[in-house]
């Protein structure tokens, strides 16, 4: 039979493990958010390059 102390120890261990997993998940979410923002910046830079090239073609009359 378990004592109250053993049960409390198990509960505290489970809480500590859950907190650790929560911290890991929060850190991962932060890293993914940063990565998403970097990818969005790259996408916007690519769109700007395409827009400049298209504008140059239109201005030169080579757009077809």
């Amino acid at each position: 039979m378990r004592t109250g102390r053993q049960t409390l120890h198990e509960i505290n261990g489970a809480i500590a493990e859950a907190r650790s997993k929560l911290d890991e998940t929060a850190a991962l979410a932060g890293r993914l958010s940063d990565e998403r923002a970097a990818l969005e910046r790259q996408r916007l830079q690519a769109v700007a390059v395409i827009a400049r090239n298209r504008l140059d073609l239109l201005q030169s009359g080579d757009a077809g």
Side-chain angles (χ1 to χ4, degrees), residues 1-8 10:
M1 189 158 142
R2 288 187 182 157
T3 66
R5 283 185 187 264
Q6 289 169 329
T7 303
L8 183 58
E10 289 177 14

Side-chain angles (χ1 to χ4, degrees), residues 14-62:
I15 290 171
E17 184 178 336
R19 284 184 178 149
S20 175
K21 288 182 180 182
L22 181 61
D23 290 344
E24 290 173 17
T25 302
L28 176 59
R31 288 191 305 273
L32 290 174
S33 179
D34 292 345
E35 186 175 337
R36 182 180 183 274
L39 289 171
E40 180 64 11
R41 282 191 298 275
Q42 290 176 357
R43 185 189 73 81
L44 291 174
Q45 289 171 349
V47 168
V49 168
I50 291 168
R52 277 194 303 272
N53 289 341
R54 185 154 184 193
L55 183 57
D56 290 346
L57 284 173
L58 289 171
Q59 288 176 342
S60 70
D62 292 337

